[in-house]
Amino acid sequence: MKHYLKTLENTIRNNWNLKALCDFGGESFTYGNLAAHVEQMRLFFAAAGIKKGDKIAICARNSARWAMTFWGINVNERVVVPILADFHPSSVSRLTNHSDSVMIFTNDDIWEKMNPDDMPHVRAAINVKDNTMLWHRDEEIAQAWDSREKDFSNNYPSGMMPGDVTYPGDNFHDLAIINYTSGTTGTPKGVMLTYGAMSDTDEFANAHFPNTPGETIVSMLPMAHMYGLAIEFIHPNVDGVTVYFLGKTPSPTTLLKAMQEVRPYMVITVPLVMEKIYSNSIKPALEKRKKLMFIPGMKSLIYQMARKTIMKVFGGQVQCFIMGGAALNPEAERCFKKMKLPFTVGFGMTEACPLLGYSWWKEFVPGSCGKQVHEVRIDSDDPQHTPGEIQARGANLTIGYYKNPEATAAAFTSDGWFRTGDLGIIDKHGNIFIRGRIKSMILNSSGQNIYPEEIEAVLANCQHVDECLVVDRDGKITALVYCEQYLEMTTDAKAGIANTIRLEANKSLPAYSKIAKVEMMESPFEKTPKMSIKRFLYQ
């Protein structure tokens, strides 16, 4: 296995003046700038007494400087603790403290709402925006930070050169990242991932969707989430891909402007984004041409034109749309297939750094989430037909949860397989099909297993349904539905909408899983960074 930091070392040496990290419409840094920053951080750590293996938190909005900070910590073998900038300040303090972080890199407006007394291990807080020190507990660390650029100049009086770059490659078993999950099932846990796990993910990615120096990508997913961190940033960047950051969640206008100007080679996204493009643009356009599809030869031409339009909107260079974090709406999926859009839907989780299932778009089977990345088994007597827990084993898996031996023990079977908590089957060709979460599965009075996700897929295609969640209420299947236009409707319209949705959905559902009641929500569901609904809040 090749170490991803050795790949980065080689890329920096051979692409010194190539842009590495950019803010869309803002500042940019070359691979040479990155190398200098990493070296300055090494000198600072040595002067401040921050040792190999010490933890350092990053809680800031996505930016090129966020990425520079990550590399400065990660390359120098200190443990990165990415924390979502949208978390409540008290949660940021709690996770920073739980991780034993000795420093935190953050934004000034986030730091203003935090209390250093809640984080006794933290020695200093640095502003990611401009590298100014926001606060420090001791003078040693403040002095070391202030002198880092001078120390760098003293060590490299003629400037740093490509040949000076050398990064570690023998630390596969060492802890690299503690990533706090923000899943749908409760309290976050600190997932421990090694340099070996990261290297394994990069190696798999290179074998299945390789990069070329000079290509570009737009980063729109949270860097504090493993999906965005590993697939949208680390994997491309170590191979010479220029990463453009959009910062906060972009408006549709900003996103499309970035795609047109950056012209990414790959789009890494969540199904929700592509579903909105389908429902707001593709579906209405196809509906207008519905009658033309009955003319011989027109149907394929119309879908071909739709494909060309979408590809042009995203810059015209996209080799594949990679979706993850949730299931793709079946109706949108069928349409994308008819369009021959180059897309695939993967399966993963933080604990797998993050890949568990993946197939290149040409081999992708609709309804699946790809083939196993490493070893996957189904805890079922009939894995091809009877759903069971999806369990995994491989070099990309977590070594456990930080300071939580009980959760670590519960996460693995007695023979060493990781319990994903997801239910699924694997067909004879090795394609994985997820059927739901173990904790969300409903067992009805007749002993029938009901998977809410399957009902939600039907609901998602109903009129007036923008978001939905299916729960068990006193033994009855209840659908919680959010409709963006609901609050603007008349009283009469509101009175009948819930029943209309229920009747429409039940036409496509078997008798044992028909919806008994629909409850309309007045606001969107709370979601995780990967845009999954936080189910535990609505049970």
Side-chain angles (χ1 to χ4, degrees):
M1 186 194 319
K2 186 174 182 180
H3 201 297
Y4 69 100
L5 292 185
K6 283 299 180 183
T7 303
L8 178 63
E9 173 191 304
N10 185 64
T11 294
I12 290 175
R13 287 182 173 187
N14 294 324
N15 301 275
W16 193 255
N17 296 315
L18 180 67
K19 286 183 179 180
L21 302 161
C22 307
D23 290 323
F24 178 66
E27 61 183 347
S28 63
F29 302 93
T30 65
Y31 278 98
N33 297 147
L34 174 58
H37 174 78
V38 168
E39 180 62 9
Q40 284 185 22
M41 290 287 277
R42 185 188 70 80
L43 295 169
F44 161 68
F45 290 144
I50 297 175
K51 303 180 295 299
K52 174 183 176 180
D54 280 347
K55 287 79 178 176
I56 299 176
I58 308 177
C59 181
R61 283 171 282 281
N62 284 12
S63 68
R65 287 184 180 269
W66 191 108
M68 294 277 279
T69 300
F70 174 90
W71 284 131
I73 301 168
N74 181 249
V75 172
N76 288 303
E77 300 183 275
R78 276 64 179 179
V79 179
V80 184
V81 184
I83 300 174
L84 195 69
D86 292 335
F87 278 171
H88 189 278
S90 62
S91 296
V92 177
S93 297
R94 178 170 59 85
L95 297 180
T96 301
N97 184 57
H98 181 270
S99 66
D100 300 314
S101 291
V102 298
M103 287 185 71
I104 180 170
F105 287 81
T106 187
N107 297 137
D108 49 1
D109 58 321
I110 295 174
W111 179 253
E112 287 174 2
K113 300 170 185 176
M114 297 174 67
N115 184 357
D117 293 338
D118 295 333
M119 302 168 287
H121 301 290
V122 171
R123 296 174 59 193
I126 307 294
N127 191 349
V128 169
K129 292 179 183 177
D130 56 13
N131 281 333
T132 56
M133 185 165 280
L134 297 167
W135 172 90
H136 63 275
R137 185 167 260 124
D138 59 77
E139 289 303 318
E140 179 188 18
I141 198 167
Q143 185 176 347
W145 185 256
D146 289 341
S147 64
R148 73 192 188 284
E149 293 180 357
K150 181 180 178 182
D151 292 343
F152 177 80
S153 296
N154 290 338
N155 276 268
Y156 301 93
S158 300
M160 192 176 186
M161 304 299 289
D164 297 322
V165 176
T166 178
Y167 296 152
D170 59 352
N171 56 1
F172 289 105
H173 299 293
D174 292 346
L175 183 61
I177 297 171
I178 298 176
N179 198 183
Y180 282 89
T181 63
S182 182
T184 58
T185 54
T187 306
K189 300 188 288 289
V191 179
M192 296 189 289
L193 298 166
T194 64
Y195 285 93
M198 293 297 303
S199 297
D200 184 82
T201 292
D202 185 56
E203 184 171 80
F204 176 87
N206 272 320
H208 293 82
F209 44 101
N211 309 305
T212 302
E215 289 179 323
T216 56
I217 194 168
V218 174
S219 172
M220 53 183 161
L221 298 174
M223 289 297 100
H225 189 273
M226 207 61 216
Y227 180 32
L229 182 66
I231 308 302
E232 199 176 51
F233 162 46
I234 294 176
H235 164 58
N237 202 218
V238 300
D239 286 327
V241 174
T242 304
V243 183
Y244 286 82
F245 294 91
L246 297 183
K248 63 181 181 180
T249 304
S251 66
T253 302
T254 301
L255 176 60
L256 294 181
K257 184 174 185 290
M259 293 295 176
Q260 288 289 307
E261 293 187 21
V262 174
R263 303 182 74 197
Y265 81 109
M266 199 87 73
V267 172
I268 313 297
T269 187
V270 293
L272 184 64
V273 171
M274 298 303 290
E275 287 167 359
K276 284 187 178 296
I277 290 172
Y278 167 71
S279 59
N280 295 339
S281 302
I282 299 174
K283 188 176 181 178
L286 293 176
E287 287 289 341
K288 289 180 181 178
R289 297 167 175 81
K290 197 170 184 179
K291 291 182 179 179
L292 294 175
M293 289 190 183
F294 292 101
I295 301 175
M298 285 299 293
K299 187 174 184 178
S300 61
L301 182 61
I302 289 170
Y303 279 113
Q304 184 181 350
M305 290 172 60
R307 180 186 185 279
K308 285 183 178 179
T309 300
I310 292 299
M311 297 298 284
K312 186 177 179 180
V313 163
F314 280 90
Q317 298 295 316
V318 178
Q319 298 172 27
C320 186
F321 294 86
I322 300 178
M323 288 175 259
L328 177 63
N329 178 282
E331 182 180 305
E333 186 177 66
R334 286 191 295 271
C335 180
F336 292 158
K337 271 292 183 183
K338 290 176 182 177
M339 289 168 57
K340 296 183 180 178
L341 193 72
F343 79 98
T344 188
V345 181
F347 168 42
M349 57 197 309
T350 303
E351 288 86 345
C353 196
L355 298 175
L356 287 168
Y358 177 83
S359 291
W360 185 243
W361 70 272
K362 291 182 179 179
E363 290 80 43
F364 173 69
V365 175
S368 78
C369 53
K371 291 182 168 66
Q372 60 191 38
V373 168
H374 287 306
E375 293 182 271
V376 167
R377 72 180 185 187
I378 304 296
D379 187 20
S380 166
D381 292 332
D382 185 5
Q384 290 189 26
H385 304 97
T386 304
E389 183 180 37
I390 302 171
Q391 299 175 353
R393 192 165 62 180
N396 61 326
L397 268 294
T398 179
I399 55 173
Y401 300 104
Y402 189 61
K403 297 195 304 190
N404 196 336
E406 294 83 6
T408 299
F412 291 89
T413 64
S414 58
D415 56 348
W417 290 74
F418 180 75
R419 303 177 185 273
T420 67
D422 289 301
L423 290 165
I425 59 173
I426 297 181
D427 69 14
K428 62 181 180 180
H429 302 293
N431 297 296
I432 303 169
F433 295 82
I434 295 177
R435 291 293 180 253
R437 291 284 299 175
I438 288 176
K439 290 186 178 180
S440 63
M441 187 188 76
I442 299 171
L443 184 66
N444 70 7
S445 56
S446 61
Q448 179 70 49
N449 292 339
I450 299 170
Y451 304 105
E453 292 83 356
E454 294 182 351
I455 303 175
E456 290 158 9
V458 173
L459 277 165
N461 293 325
C462 295
Q463 190 179 9
H464 305 304
V465 178
D466 291 317
E467 296 179 7
C468 61
L469 189 71
V470 170
V471 297
D472 180 7
R473 294 279 170 83
D474 299 321
K476 294 182 178 180
I477 297 174
T478 302
L480 310 181
V481 171
Y482 169 68
C483 171
E484 193 172 350
Q485 304 299 321
Y486 182 71
L487 294 179
E488 301 173 10
M489 292 180 178
T490 64
T491 302
D492 290 341
K494 285 181 180 180
I497 189 172
N499 196 48
T500 298
I501 293 171
R502 184 182 66 84
L503 292 173
E504 184 180 351
N506 282 344
K507 289 178 183 177
S508 303
L509 292 170
Y512 65 83
S513 64
K514 289 190 183 296
I515 299 166
K517 184 180 180 183
V518 170
E519 295 180 5
M520 301 303 297
M521 309 289 289
E522 294 190 353
S523 59
F525 294 96
E526 289 194 38
K527 302 177 186 70
T528 70
K530 64 179 182 179
M531 301 307 292
S532 299
I533 295 172
K534 294 183 177 180
R535 287 184 178 273
F536 67 95
L537 296 177
Y538 303 95
Q539 299 294 343

